[in-house]
Amino acid sequence: MDIYAKYGVTRRINAAGTLTRLGGSLMAPEVLDAMRAAAGASIDISELQAAAGKVIARATGAEAGIVTSGAAAGLTLATAACMTGWDVARMEALPDTASFPNEVLMIRTHRNAYDHAIRAAGARIVDIGNNDRGTGAGVRGIEAWEIEAAITPRSVAFAFAATPQTRADLPTVVAVCRKHGLKVIVDAAAQLPPKENLRAFIAAGADLVVFSGGKAVAGPQSSGILAGRRDLVGAALVQLIDMDVTPETWAPPPPIDRKRLTGVPHHGLGRGFKVGKEEIVGLMVALERFVGADDKAKNAGFARRLEAIGARLAKVPGIAATLVSAAQTGRVPLLEIAIDRARVGCGAVEFSRRLQAQPVPVHLGERRAVDDVLLVDPSTLRPDDDSLLAASVAAVAASRKARTSARSRRS
Ligand SMILES: *Cc1c(COP(=O)(O)O)cnc(C)c1O
């Protein structure tokens, strides 16, 4: 049964990647089976999160971990934990941070739309660093004195947006933050693959790191990973789970440390980000599959499919398809489709709009649309859609010619 057709929702061909607005990753049958099995029984959520923490710790090398409702929720919870520690009064006050330290430092060029998730916890972002690596104006990275000059008694953490370009600055940030007692939170939401990155940021000294569960890990779309120091992960978890508990009988397992809590924090800041048992189990199974997968074989399979699509487009006038290898992208192979404006009659943005207007809408990656290049990302492309994707691209490329000849016939 096509559940989307039943409710009148259009199915789309997604070759744009694990975009949240298109529903993120597609889950493997093994993950779906696990979620279905999880749906049929009751458990204690904190015990299930503790079990997930063991899977996450094995995968990341961190002391502890929890499943969140996405990397963005992970950022909010991480920030909250850095500001509250085990202090129940502070947990209760959030997002009001008037009476305790709430400043989170960020390199100016790392600021992005997701830092709203950090501010949502009640933190104030203090952005620092000029002429940084991110601007391209020189070869410098952040320097220790720039961080130290921004540290005040209200500083609690440093938020670091990881990319292949920013990575080189992490050791400096970690060294200065360690010296001054600031925690380092790394947003690595989309830094997978390569799967080595699951461990890289913890190994580099980050206190907390977040990953999306609904991107490359191919877990539930509304899942994510928060991994790191046991005390901080525990303080995040207690602000996430349902806490309508009876203080006398409440006995949570680690990483929640009841002895260090000054009381029982009922319903914290993250209560609205709750994670269901199905998502927790789905993420656990997906993460184990992701860690165990043979990336080389997976990428070789992707490359073969992209080559076949490229071959079908080879004779289409006005477009040029080029395979970019996984070694070149550092992630998965991609097929670049360069659009010749003069011959097709439009640039990449209009080409993409026309693809999305096809009977079965087709989404390609638009990251390089300014260069009139669209990208075929195989991560979420179903193999049985490959040939319709190629046919749709060919049809759109030919559409101007068709219209022009129709016009000339009329005249
Ligand atoms: C996707 C993304 C997020 C949000 O991740 P979700 O799992 O969708 O919440 C945060 N930061 C960056 C850099 C991302 O790419």
Side-chain angles (χ1 to χ4, degrees), residues 18 20 68-75 112 114-115 117 161-163 187-191 210-215 221-225:
T18 54
T20 296
T68 64
S69 56
L75 288 174
N112 64 74
Y114 292 109
D115 67 43
T163 68
D187 177 358
Q191 297 307 300
V210 303
F211 296 101
S212 285
K215 293 181 181 166
Q221 163 54 195
S222 56
S223 72
I225 295 167

Side-chain angles (χ1 to χ4, degrees), residues 107-235:
I107 297 172
R108 194 160 281 139
T109 55
H110 290 213
R111 295 289 309 261
N112 64 74
Y114 292 109
D115 67 43
H116 204 149
I118 294 167
R119 291 180 281 128
R124 191 172 80 82
I125 293 176
V126 176
D127 57 22
I128 63 170
N130 288 324
N131 286 329
D132 182 68
R133 217 180 290 280
T135 67
V139 295
R140 286 165 298 259
I142 193 81
E143 291 177 27
W145 68 265
E146 293 178 282
I147 304 171
E148 283 177 334
I151 296 176
T152 74
R154 293 191 61 79
S155 308
V156 290
F158 200 109
F160 192 95
T163 68
Q165 289 73 40
T166 64
R167 282 278 288 280
D169 288 327
L170 189 55
T172 303
V173 169
V174 166
V176 177
C177 289
R178 284 243 169 106
K179 187 166 145 203
H180 294 276
L182 265 58
K183 291 103 176 171
V184 176
I185 303 167
V186 173
D187 177 358
Q191 297 307 300
L192 304 171
K195 63 182 167 199
E196 290 73 28
N197 277 356
L198 279 171
R199 311 184 83 88
F201 305 103
I202 295 293
D207 296 285
L208 291 166
V209 59
V210 303
F211 296 101
S212 285
K215 293 181 181 166
V217 174
Q221 163 54 195
S222 56
S223 72
I225 295 167
L226 171 61
R229 260 170 54 183
R230 186 174 291 109
D231 57 337
L232 294 172
V233 170

Side-chain angles (χ1 to χ4, degrees), residues 72-96:
L75 288 174
T76 306
L77 289 165
T79 308
C82 289
M83 293 190 295
T84 62
W86 295 108
D87 187 321
V88 173
R90 288 185 180 188
M91 291 180 187
E92 170 62 25
L94 290 184
D96 182 344

